[in-house]
Amino acid sequence: MSERRQGLVVAHLGKGLAVEGPDGRVLACHTLRQLGSVAVGDQVLWEPCGDDQGRVVAVLPRRSELLRPAHGGKTRLVAANLDQVLVVMAPEPEPDFLLADQILAVCEHRDIGAVLLFNKIDLFDGDAEVESQLQGYAAIGYPLLRVSVKQGAGMSELQAALAGKTSMLAGQSGVGKSSISRALLPEHDIRVGHISALSGLGRHTTTAATLYHLAAGGDLIDSPGVAVFGMADMTPAILAQNYRDFQPFLPRCRYNDCAHIKDQGCALREAVEKGEVSDSRYRRYLKLLEKLPNLRPGDSR
Ligand SMILES: Nc1nc2c(ncn2[C@@H]2O[C@H](COP(=O)(O)OP(=O)(O)OP(=O)(O)O)[C@@H](O)[C@H]2O)c(=O)[nH]1
Ligand SMILES: [Mg+2]
Ligand SMILES: [Zn+2]
């Protein structure tokens, strides 16, 4: 029986995994079929087998799981042990606060922290509407960082927010996610080369999630696309519960299954009318409801 070691899954290969051992070396590993899904960010136990390869024999308990919808109503694990998602926005393209709300709700649902990252402040003219939305998020407890990768502004605060944590960047196209990654990840190209060079288990595609170590501490999982923040497993009730600012009011709705639309005795709507909950957050919630697959007409009273 060979010796078991702990390792960190840093990438998916065609038929296996790239696992980083305690000495920092990355090697290709097979997985046992009965292990089920293993994802980037997983802590695993592995044992050496053959030439510079390993076999993953166990997955250690996870503190969080990020899933995305897959074929046949199933879900696929995209990343494990994420601590936080950085929701990147910018003055240009015009901020998509609906997408931001969706990402924040999915993170809340998965017990993953969230931070707002407002990039390109070199282009920001102080637009009152954008500023008021940003401050609204800060008021309900989301940390708000303002940076300009282009000018290097706010980058040390960003590094401090990432230190000691496993994070992922998310947000609409063109806000600067890749630019931020490049600024934070001097080892990016080296690592992609190493992982692609691992033999025997198929190729690593750069379209798959990959974990990188940050120079100033912490890890960054680079995962393309915002599809991972789908709401396939959410009902109206679950969506509302994952709005931090809605939570205090929900237990006071007259009906347990209140969808908070036109329901009688809806405490959330009352709170919006009294100005205790942001009207724009509530209106965007109504829009997100329309994107939920589970909402049938007549679900609400
Ligand atoms: N003025 C300014 N431009 C920036 C800043 N950060 C990024 N950009 C520019 O914004 C554009 C988009 O940046 P990307 O990093 O490609 O954006 P992305 O979020 O990765 O976009 P997708 O890959 O399409 O999702 C590029 O032209 C960058 O040079 C910034 O701080 N200030
Ligand atoms: Mg990009
Ligand atoms: Zn209600």
Side-chain angles (χ1 to χ4, degrees), residues 119-120 122-123 148-150 172-179:
N119 182 33
K120 310 195 194 181
D122 56 291
L123 300 179
S148 164
V149 197
K150 192 175 178 184
Q172 65 203 109
S173 180
V175 290
K177 300 179 297 296
S178 299
S179 309

Side-chain angles (χ1 to χ4, degrees), residues 8-78:
L8 171 66
V9 178
V10 295
H12 256 287
L13 305 171
K15 293 176 198 150
L17 303 165
V19 176
E20 182 185 77
D23 57 357
R25 227 163 52 91
V26 178
L27 82 170
C29 285
H30 303 270
T31 52
L32 304 177
R33 187 177 291 270
Q34 63 267 30
L35 276 186
S37 55
V38 187
V40 168
D42 261 323
Q43 291 284 348
V44 297
L45 297 180
W46 59 278
E47 52 195 26
C49 76
D51 229 18
D52 237 7
Q53 292 204 350
R55 181 192 300 124
V56 172
V57 295
V59 182
L60 300 183
R62 298 175 179 129
R63 57 181 186 277
S64 72
E65 295 183 330
L66 186 63
L67 306 164
R68 87 174 155 72
H71 297 293
K74 292 180 182 162
T75 54
R76 260 189 73 178
L77 185 63
V78 176

